[in-house]
Amino acid sequence: MLTVLVIGVVSAALVAGAAWGAYGRLPAPLEGFIVALAGGALMISAVLELIEPSSHVVSIWAASGLVIAGAVVFGALDHLIERRSSGGGGGLLAAITLDGIPENLALGVALIGTGPLGAAALSGSILLSNLPEAAGGARQMTTDGRSKAAVLGLWAATAVLLSAAALAGNLLMGGASESTLGLIRCFAGGAVVGSLAIEVFPKAFRESGYSTGLAVALGLVMALYLDQLG
């Protein structure tokens, strides 16, 4: 039950962020700062919750190869989406969906055999990154002429899809071996790192400038603290 609650709260952040983007607004530098904060937290969480533990159950070569593969696959698919979409909010929605599927699969896998507190750093970081990213995408989509109700509906559907991915990761992989789970976590961790480099940090720097470095560092410290709680 607690696993379902964690997954639901993380995915609901997309809807809350979309509502924020459609009906409210923060100064761009502040939004960029929040995005960088979330990115820093998600970066250290990908290492501590996904990649580093997996390196103890699979060979370092397998772990390294899957991390690289995850980053390459994300970059290739994100580039394909960018070329085939019109950009703006719709492109960001597609990118977040592509990014969110491995993130939420990883979240579901991370919750196997642990209480929700054990995955607090990863789930909290995904929640924080979902909020500002959804806000930016929803705002652009309303600017492009979509109705606010239609925009919220699209993001709600995305939240349902990502919740299903997390539940699938948790339920379908429950009987998998530790080495199999380790390989999946490494691939997901690589995809998350790729998304941070391509989507998150460039957006944060464009909006908040050189305060991005401080925000990322604060996010790292926050994620380290959450990891200690687990």
Side-chain angles (χ1 to χ4, degrees):
M1 181 63 184
L2 288 176
T3 296
V4 174
L5 178 62
V6 169
I7 292 171
V9 169
V10 168
S11 296
L14 286 174
V15 181
W20 164 19
Y23 295 99
R25 186 171 182 84
L26 290 176
L30 179 56
E31 287 194 7
F33 192 90
I34 294 172
V35 169
L37 180 77
L42 191 53
M43 179 169 61
I44 195 68
S45 297
V47 174
L48 294 180
E49 301 295 332
L50 298 176
I51 299 171
E52 194 277 334
S54 301
S55 68
H56 299 297
V57 296
V58 300
S59 72
I60 188 63
W61 298 110
S64 300
L66 266 294
V67 169
I68 293 170
V72 169
V73 169
F74 176 86
L77 292 178
D78 195 48
H79 177 65
L80 182 63
I81 288 173
E82 185 68 23
R83 288 185 59 188
R84 295 196 173 189
S85 72
S86 58
L92 184 56
L93 175 63
I96 289 174
T97 303
L98 176 64
D99 173 23
I101 288 175
E103 279 182 359
N104 282 269
L105 280 170
L107 174 61
V109 171
L111 290 171
I112 295 174
T114 67
L117 189 59
L122 180 61
S123 59
S125 301
I126 294 173
L127 186 152
L128 285 173
S129 65
N130 282 349
L131 278 168
E133 288 181 355
R139 181 175 303 115
Q140 184 60 51
M141 292 170 80
T142 56
T143 301
D144 292 342
R146 292 179 183 264
S147 72
K148 293 179 179 179
V151 169
L152 287 177
L154 282 171
W155 286 93
T158 301
V160 171
L161 173 63
L162 298 186
S163 294
L167 287 172
N170 186 260
L171 297 175
L172 299 180
M173 302 306 298
S177 67
E178 279 299 312
S179 59
T180 299
L181 292 176
L183 294 173
I184 293 171
R185 289 182 178 122
C186 286
F187 183 85
V192 171
V193 170
S195 75
L196 292 173
I198 295 169
E199 295 287 343
V200 176
F201 292 139
K203 170 182 171 59
F205 185 76
R206 284 195 304 269
E207 295 187 352
S208 66
Y210 292 96
S211 65
T212 301
L214 171 62
V216 172
L218 290 174
L220 290 172
V221 171
M222 180 180 65
L224 284 171
Y225 174 74
L226 288 174
D227 183 71
Q228 292 300 312
L229 293 179

